[in-house]
Amino acid sequence: VGRAGPRISSLFDFAISAADTGASKPSAIPFLQAASAARCHPHHMVHIGDSVSKDLCGALGCDMRALLLSRADNPPRSAMEDASRPPQDVRRWREVSSLTDAVQLVVQGDF
């Protein structure tokens, strides 16, 4: 959230990193601590991240919805990383090309 800039970070009440929790993703701990801090069930959360194995699979494994951030300026994902991509399910996860697109989907209630 902090790297997103003030326009986007102002939409959030808090940020929790995996390092803050003492666990690495895709462990459930960072995801569940974020849900606890938000005082809601993980099913009502949307995680935005750029790693298939750490962000997407970690969030889906905790019953969260997820937006996979695939920016054009990011290095291509490895074959192993891409192979861990779960089957497409637009109700549970989608791929977006920018953080602005991700926030727009969430704010407009389209996801």
Side-chain angles (χ1 to χ4, degrees):
V1 172
R3 297 181 310 189
R7 189 173 137 251
I8 291 176
S9 61
S10 68
L11 299 171
F12 298 90
D13 294 327
F14 64 90
I16 295 176
S17 72
D20 293 336
T21 68
S24 355
K25 295 181 285 183
S27 165
I29 294 169
F31 300 98
L32 296 177
Q33 282 195 9
S36 176
R39 296 187 174 134
C40 70
H41 189 279
H43 179 77
H44 299 289
M45 306 262 313
V46 177
H47 178 78
I48 302 169
D50 60 4
S51 168
V52 173
S53 60
K54 295 176 182 176
D55 293 306
L56 179 61
C57 294
L60 294 176
C62 291
D63 200 27
M64 289 183 178
R65 291 171 292 149
L67 293 170
L68 178 63
L69 187 56
S70 295
R71 294 184 182 116
D73 59 343
N74 278 5
R77 292 186 178 96
S78 70
M80 182 179 268
E81 176 83 353
D82 245 3
S84 66
R85 183 185 296 251
Q88 186 69 33
D89 180 351
V90 296
R91 293 168 295 140
R92 297 207 60 221
W93 75 274
R94 295 185 193 175
E95 192 164 8
V96 294
S97 59
S98 72
L99 190 53
T100 302
D101 291 346
V103 170
Q104 185 175 0
L105 277 173
V106 174
V107 169
Q108 290 179 343
D110 292 334
F111 184 67

